[in-house]
C-alpha cells in the first residue's frame, strides 16, 4: 500500500482513492484521485480502469465510474471529460456540459484542462504518469483540473488554468489552493536530450538546476513536480497553498496505472472534482 505524508488514502465502499487534505478542510468539494483498487476490470486493466479508449470493455469502465462516484458522492451521469492531447487549452464548462464523455457524445475536443464555477458539474481528467493539477478557489468558488505531462508542463498549462480562472471568475491567485497529484517522479522520469532542451527553453538557469537532474552516462531525469510547483508559484499561488505529491506512479504501478512501468499496457486513472 502507498504511504504518503501529503495525501489521504481513503477506503470506502470497497474502493480506494486519494484525497487532498487542504481541499477536504474547505468542505466545498467532492474530489479524488483514483487508484487501481476496487473496480471490475480484468487483465492489464485490473481493476479500476477509467479510460474508455484503452481497449477495455465499456460496461466495465461504466461500472468502475459508478462505484467510484458513489464513494465520493458524485453523480456519474454528470461527469464532464477532457480529451487531452498534450496541449495547453483550458475550457470553461457549465451544467450544459454534464454527461459529456460518459453518457453523451462530447464536443470537448483538444482540451487538457477544465474549469467551472457551477456546483454539481464534476470535472474529470485522465492519467497514467502525467501530472494531475487540482485547483480550488474557496473565495470565488471555482474548481479546475489540468493534465500536465511534460509537454503540458513546458507549455505551463498550470499557469494558463490559473490565468483563465482569474480572467473569467475573478479568482485571485493568492486565494487559490492547488495540488500536484500522483504522477511519475524524478526517481523514474528519465528523458532524452530533446525533452531536456524543451525544459531549458521554458525555465531559467536557477529553475533548471532544480528541475533537470544530470545522471551518470549523460542521462537526465526531470522533476515534473517541482517544475509545476515553480509554475504555480510564478502564477501567483502561495507555496503554502500548494500540495505537492510524494507518490510516484511508476514506483507504485501495482496500485496506480503507470504508462512507463507497463510500456503502455495499462488502464487509466482519473482526477475528479466538483463543487458541492
Ligand atoms: Zn519512481
Amino acid at each position: 500500500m502507498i504511504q504518503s505524508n501529503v495525501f489521504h488514502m481513503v477506503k470506502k465502499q470497497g474502493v480506494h482513492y486519494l484525497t487532498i487534505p487542504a481541499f477536504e478542510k474547505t468542505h466545498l468539494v467532492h474530489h479524488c484521485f483514483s487508484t487501481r483498487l476496487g473496480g471490475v476490470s480484468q487483465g492489464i486493466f485490473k481493476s479500476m480502469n477509467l479510460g474508455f479508449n484503452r481497449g477495455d470493455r465499456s460496461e466495465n469502465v461504466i461500472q468502475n465510474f459508478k462505484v467510484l462516484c458513489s464513494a465520493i458522492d458524485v453523480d456519474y451521469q454528470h461527469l464532464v471529460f477532457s480529451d487531452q492531447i498534450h496541449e495547453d487549452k483550458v475550457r470553461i464548462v457549465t451544467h450544459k456540459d454534464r454527461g459529456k464523455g460518459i453518457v453523451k457524445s462530447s464536443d470537448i475536443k483538444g482540451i487538457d484542462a477544465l474549469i467551472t464555477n457551477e456546483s454539481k458539474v464534476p470535472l474529470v481528467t485522465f492519467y497514467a504518469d502525467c501530472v494531475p493539477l487540482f485547483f480550488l478557489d474557496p473565495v470565488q468558488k471555482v474548481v479546475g483540473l489540468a493534465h500536465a505531462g511534460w509537454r503540458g508542463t513546458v507549455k505551463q498549462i498550470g499557469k494558463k488554468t490559473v490565468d483563465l480562472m482569474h480572467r473569467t471568475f475573478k479568482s485571485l491567485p493568492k486565494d487559490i489552493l492547488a495540488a500536484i497529484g500522483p504522477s511519475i517522479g524524478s526517481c523514474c522520469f528519465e528523458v532524452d536530450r530533446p525533452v531536456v532542451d524543451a525544459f531549458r527553453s521554458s525555465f531559467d538557469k536557477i529553475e533548471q538546476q532544480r528541475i533537470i537532474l544530470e545522471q551518470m552516462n549523460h542521462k537526465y531525469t526531470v522533476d515534473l513536480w517541482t517544475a509545476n510547483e515553480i509554475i504555480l508559484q510564478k502564477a501567483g499561488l502561495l507555496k503554502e497553498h500548494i500540495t505537492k505529491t510524494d507518490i510516484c506512479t511508476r514506483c507504485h504501478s501495482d496500485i496506480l496505472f503507470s504508462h512507463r512501468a507497463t510500456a503502455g499496457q495499462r488502464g487509466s486513472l482519473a482526477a475528479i472534482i466538483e463543487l458541492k
Side-chain angles (χ1 to χ4, degrees):
M1 193 48 72
I2 294 168
Q3 296 298 322
S4 173
N5 294 317
V6 182
F7 292 90
H8 282 159
M9 175 69 89
V10 180
K11 185 180 181 191
K12 192 174 165 195
Q13 300 172 16
V15 183
H16 296 252
Y17 55 92
L18 295 155
T19 61
I20 306 156
F23 283 34
E24 283 175 343
K25 278 191 199 126
T26 69
H27 301 288
L28 291 172
V29 293
H30 298 127
H31 77 288
C32 75
F33 188 74
S34 69
T35 72
R36 297 181 64 170
L37 308 177
V40 299
S41 297
Q42 298 295 317
I44 61 169
F45 307 113
K46 195 173 169 75
S47 63
M48 181 59 79
N49 169 43
L50 298 170
F52 282 104
N53 58 355
R54 306 297 312 170
D56 195 4
R57 294 158 55 112
S58 292
E59 56 266 41
N60 287 350
V61 181
I62 295 255
Q63 180 61 24
N64 290 340
F65 271 112
K66 282 183 184 172
V67 294
L68 176 62
C69 288
S70 170
I72 64 168
D73 290 325
V74 164
D75 184 339
Y76 82 96
Q77 297 184 84
H78 289 169
L79 298 171
V80 183
F81 289 7
S82 63
D83 68 333
Q84 298 177 203
I85 59 165
H86 292 277
E87 283 291 339
D88 58 356
K89 294 245 174 4
V90 186
R91 174 155 161 165
I92 303 154
V93 297
T94 70
H95 63 281
K96 292 178 184 161
D97 297 300
R98 293 200 299 199
K100 286 182 179 175
I102 182 126
V103 294
K104 59 183 177 188
S105 62
S106 182
D107 61 352
I108 298 172
K109 302 288 183 203
I111 295 297
D112 281 84
L114 302 169
I115 61 173
T116 188
N117 70 337
E118 294 188 14
S119 63
K120 303 286 181 190
V121 179
L123 312 176
V124 191
T125 49
F126 299 93
Y127 303 91
D129 289 343
C130 289
V131 181
L133 300 177
F134 294 76
F135 298 92
L136 167 58
D137 172 0
V139 178
Q140 298 296 338
K141 306 220 174 24
V142 183
V143 291
L145 291 175
H147 161 252
W150 74 261
R151 289 182 184 84
T153 301
V154 165
K155 288 171 187 278
Q156 310 213 23
I157 192 167
K159 176 178 172 11
K160 286 167 184 168
T161 307
V162 169
D163 288 348
L164 194 61
M165 289 171 69
H166 175 66
R167 287 203 306 276
T168 311
F169 302 122
K170 298 186 168 55
S171 291
L172 298 178
K174 71 174 179 60
D175 293 330
I176 297 174
L177 308 178
I180 299 161
S183 44
I184 195 163
S186 60
C187 42
C188 293
F189 192 44
E190 192 175 291
V191 297
D192 296 329
R193 195 56 188 266
V195 178
V196 172
D197 289 343
F199 277 87
R200 284 186 175 142
S201 70
S202 190
F203 291 92
D204 71 28
K205 281 270 187 315
I206 291 168
E207 293 163 352
Q208 288 173 31
Q209 287 171 11
R210 297 177 58 199
I211 296 168
I212 304 164
L213 314 164
E214 190 164 358
Q215 308 296 327
M216 307 280 276
N217 308 324
H218 305 290
K219 299 279 189 184
Y220 297 87
T221 56
V222 164
D223 183 344
L224 292 172
W225 303 344
T226 297
N228 278 288
E229 182 181 42
I230 289 169
I231 289 165
L232 294 177
Q233 285 189 257
K234 285 201 288 191
L237 272 65
L238 305 178
K239 188 176 173 69
E240 60 267 30
H241 285 175
I242 302 171
T243 298
K244 185 182 180 184
T245 186
D246 57 355
I247 302 169
C248 169
T249 42
R250 193 182 185 202
C251 287
H252 296 283
S253 61
D254 51 339
I255 299 197
L256 302 168
F257 289 117
S258 167
H259 192 85
R260 282 219 174 185
T262 57
Q265 299 296 302
R266 48 82 181 173
S268 291
L269 305 165
I272 304 176
I273 191 167
E274 74 166 12
L275 289 164
K276 289 182 184 173

